[in-house]
């Protein structure tokens, strides 16, 4: 069956370190992958999109990689800050004619001062 | 530009009742998608509307329905509520319904079924 897996355990890191979050998928051939941030009681907010033919995408302190052979995306936050504490969701869109985003369950990141 | 708005923000209902949730997309956005979010299942896709037509539907029972109006505003309805319907219901809008469209989410409606 199709599955998107993100680390269900919270990731605790110290301020200033690099946080690395993982998104693994099986039985999908996504055209592209998106990462979202969600704060408690709020809807997800779009961060980055990476296409299947792109290996890496950067935006300020954020970096996303996409390995279609490993079926994995890594999401990095460099020089992390307490304000980065949130749940991060990856989402795939299947290469079909209709828009449909399939989300992972998310990984909670806690950045300590 | 105003963001996606959802009403009501919080709702308490009892089993067997029905509920209607409303979503106003960002001005100019024509696609609206609905998601259910629970701690156990995460974000689950309900359906997507574009130009008043349902384009895609997730794996939910027929008790869940929706519609979109000519001004792109959307409503979703859940009939015969069950305890398991307690969740955060999120609406997201995008400009179009093609690939690589960024989805802009509203704050959600938190539904509690007693």
């Amino acid at each position: 069956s199709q599955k998107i897996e993100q680390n269900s355990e919270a990731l605790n890191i110290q301020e200033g370190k690099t946080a690395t979050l993982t998104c693994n998928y099986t039985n999908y051939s996504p055209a592209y992958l998106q990462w979202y941030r969600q704060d408690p009681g709020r809807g997800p907010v779009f961060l980055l999109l990476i296409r299947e033919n792109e290996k890496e995408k950067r935006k300020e302190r954020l970096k996303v990689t996409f390995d279609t052979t490993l079926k994995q995306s890594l999401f990095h936050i460099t020089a992390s800050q307490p304000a980065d504490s949130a749940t991060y969701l990856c989402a795939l869109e299947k290469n079909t004619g209709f828009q449909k985003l399939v989300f992972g369950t998310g990984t909670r990141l806690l950045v300590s001062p | 530009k105003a963001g996606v708005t959802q009403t009501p923000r919080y709702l308490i209902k009892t089993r067997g009742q029905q509920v209607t949730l409303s979503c106003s997309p960002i001005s100019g956005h024509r696609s609206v998608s609905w998601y259910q979010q629970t701690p156990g299942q995460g974000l689950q896709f309900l359906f997507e509307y574009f130009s008043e037509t349902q384009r895609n539907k997730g794996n939910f029972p027929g008790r869940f329905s929706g519609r979109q109006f000519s001004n792109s505003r959307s409503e979703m309805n859940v009939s015969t509520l069950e305890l398991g319907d307690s969740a955060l219901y999120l609406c997201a809008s995008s400009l179009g319904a093609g690939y690589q469209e960024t989805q802009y989410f509203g704050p959600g409606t938190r539904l509690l079924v007693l």
Side-chain angles (χ1 to χ4, degrees), chain A residues 10-108:
Chain A
L11 179 63
N12 289 276
I13 64 167
Q14 268 202 309
E15 183 175 8
K17 302 288 186 186
T18 295
T20 299
L21 286 68
T22 304
C23 176
N24 294 299
Y25 58 93
T26 56
N27 297 325
Y28 277 111
S29 295
Y32 65 94
L33 186 148
Q34 300 185 15
W35 282 88
Y36 287 77
R37 167 185 172 140
Q38 187 173 22
D39 292 285
R42 297 190 160 201
V45 175
F46 171 78
L47 295 174
L48 277 170
L49 178 153
I50 185 165
R51 298 175 181 81
E52 60 181 336
N53 60 351
E54 296 176 319
K55 297 291 183 193
E56 183 179 297
K57 200 80 168 280
R58 290 175 186 260
K59 180 183 174 184
E60 296 171 355
R61 296 184 295 111
L62 309 180
K63 184 178 88 171
V64 172
T65 63
F66 193 8
D67 189 326
T68 54
T69 302
L70 289 178
K71 293 187 181 294
Q72 180 182 79
S73 175
L74 298 178
F75 177 80
H76 306 271
I77 305 175
T78 58
S80 59
Q81 304 164 1
D84 295 326
S85 298
T87 296
Y88 291 86
L89 303 157
C90 71
L92 309 180
E93 178 171 319
K94 292 186 290 183
N95 197 359
T96 64
F98 298 106
Q99 176 183 15
K100 180 183 154 185
L101 275 182
V102 182
F103 283 83
T105 50
T107 298
R108 190 167 171 222

Side-chain angles (χ1 to χ4, degrees), chain B residues 61-72:
Chain B
R63 300 185 296 106
F64 292 81
S65 63
R67 58 179 176 167
Q68 186 181 34
F69 302 96
S70 58
N71 61 358
S72 294

